[in-house]
Amino acid sequence: MTKNQRVVVDWLSNTGYDFLSDLVELEGYYDSVPDEVCEAFSDLSGREKIEVVKQSASNLLKKS
């Protein structure tokens, strides 16, 4: 996993909010998403974005 992927996975896995809403905000670059996370996400390829979503969802499922 790349550094950019880890930044996004860490944010998605630890926001404490609704996962799907966080994904929408991340894709739309809303103000609630830190700039570092937005930049990391925008640098990811399509495949890397899918891997990030998969890993983040897996992390959240383990926590619940």
Side-chain angles (χ1 to χ4, degrees):
M1 188 167 278
T2 69
K3 179 184 177 213
N4 285 338
Q5 285 178 302
R6 282 192 297 273
V7 167
V8 178
V9 167
D10 287 345
W11 182 77
L12 282 172
S13 298
N14 296 304
T15 62
Y17 300 112
D18 180 62
F19 180 69
L20 294 177
S21 295
D22 291 340
L23 283 175
V24 170
E25 291 183 9
L26 181 59
E27 185 65 33
Y29 303 103
Y30 288 93
D31 290 337
S32 60
V33 181
D35 290 339
E36 177 185 47
V37 177
C38 286
E39 290 171 15
F41 187 74
S42 68
D43 289 342
L44 298 177
S45 69
R47 180 182 178 92
E48 289 173 323
K49 288 178 181 178
I50 292 169
E51 291 170 348
V52 161
V53 171
K54 179 182 174 186
Q55 184 62 48
S56 300
S58 177
N59 291 349
L60 290 171
L61 288 171
K62 287 178 187 176
K63 288 181 183 181
S64 62

